[in-house]
Amino acid sequence: SQTIHQWPATLVQPVGSPLSLECTVEGTSNPNLYWYRQAAGRGLQLLFYSVGIGQISSEVPQNLSASRPQDRQFILSSKKLLLSDSGFYLCAWTPTGITDTQYFGPGTRLTVL
Amino acid sequence: KQEVTQIPAALSVPEGENLVLNCSFTDSAIYNLQWFRQDPGKGLTSLLLIQSSQREQTSGRLNASLDKSSGRSTLYIAASQPGDSATYLCAVKDDYKLSFGAGTTVTVRA
């Protein structure tokens, strides 16, 4: 069966520090991968998605970047965190194709102080 | 740009009552619609997926309908239980992306 992992689960970082969040999927190959952010009291906002290694699409201009160094690994990064980067970050995957269910990881709670 | 709206934002019902959660979307050119459940501080759990060619899906006490032409979906939860307390999110898929509503937070009182 397929499993999606995210780490760390919780992170507290000072403003201006770098960020690296990791997501990995097991039990499948060539998945579509997604990064979402959920700010307090707001809905999920799609940040990045990837349909293959090295292929990253960005949905909104921001202080974040994403990379996909391996087929089942998706990394969210920042060089300098802002207060507004605080939120709940969720990684998700779907099988290759248009119509399939999207599966979510457990999320990372990021607080920038 | 697809916009997804969920009404009401919050709902509190006594145990045993049926729940009706509404979702509307602006662009009917979707591949599918998905309902999720989110418990506080947790990730999303998929409840039901309705393909654009389908009218409804059922799983246990859950039933979701889809009227693509009018841009609406409804999630019905029969005989609610305290364990159903959570935030319910709907999302529509066009191209490779999901567009989410803000969710309906449900409280079922024992």
Side-chain angles (χ1 to χ4, degrees):
Chain A
S1 64
Q2 300 86 7
T3 310
I4 179 168
H5 302 280
Q6 280 188 250
W7 63 91
T10 306
L11 192 59
V12 180
Q13 292 285 94
V15 170
S17 64
L19 173 73
S20 180
L21 302 181
E22 190 163 344
C23 171
T24 59
V25 181
E26 296 179 353
T28 189
S29 60
N30 195 30
N32 296 331
L33 296 172
Y34 307 82
W35 277 112
Y36 293 88
R37 177 170 60 202
Q38 188 175 36
R42 301 177 63 181
L44 271 76
Q45 178 186 36
L46 179 63
L47 302 176
F48 301 95
Y49 69 95
S50 172
V51 299
I53 295 174
Q55 300 179 55
I56 309 293
S57 297
S58 174
E59 284 296 294
V60 293
Q62 58 205 319
N63 186 42
L64 302 168
S65 62
S67 62
R68 185 171 177 173
Q70 300 180 39
D71 181 43
R72 292 169 290 159
Q73 184 184 31
F74 207 21
I75 297 173
L76 184 69
S77 303
S78 174
K79 293 181 179 179
K80 291 185 178 182
L81 284 168
L82 306 172
L83 287 173
S84 58
D85 292 324
S86 293
F88 191 46
Y89 288 81
L90 290 158
C91 181
W93 75 278
T94 62
T96 303
I98 295 291
T99 60
D100 290 300
T101 299
Q102 190 155 124
Y103 301 96
F104 282 78
T108 294
R109 174 73 60 189
L110 172 66
T111 303
V112 182
L113 302 174
Chain B
K1 176 187 174 186
Q2 182 75 263
E3 292 187 5
V4 182
T5 303
Q6 290 187 248
I7 295 173
L11 189 58
S12 179
V13 300
E15 183 177 4
E17 192 165 300
N18 296 332
L19 290 163
V20 180
L21 309 179
N22 296 300
C23 172
S24 61
F25 47 95
T26 54
D27 187 347
S28 62
I30 64 170
Y31 290 103
N32 60 48
L33 183 144
Q34 199 165 353
W35 282 94
F36 294 89
R37 169 185 171 137
Q38 186 177 29
D39 293 294
K42 303 294 184 182
L44 277 65
T45 300
S46 179
L47 298 174
L48 290 167
L49 172 71
I50 311 175
Q51 304 292 358
S52 61
S53 59
Q54 297 175 321
R55 296 289 299 212
E56 66 176 346
Q57 278 287 341
T58 298
S59 177
R61 294 184 294 112
L62 276 61
N63 174 276
S65 65
L66 174 64
D67 184 342
K68 198 175 78 164
S69 60
S70 67
R72 296 177 187 273
S73 177
T74 301
L75 177 66
Y76 301 90
I77 303 178
S80 62
Q81 303 169 358
D84 294 329
S85 298
T87 297
Y88 292 82
L89 298 157
C90 76
V92 296
K93 190 169 189 180
D94 41 29
D95 197 2
Y96 291 97
K97 302 168 286 186
L98 283 180
S99 298
F100 281 84
T104 295
T105 298
V106 171
T107 302
V108 180
R109 308 186 303 272

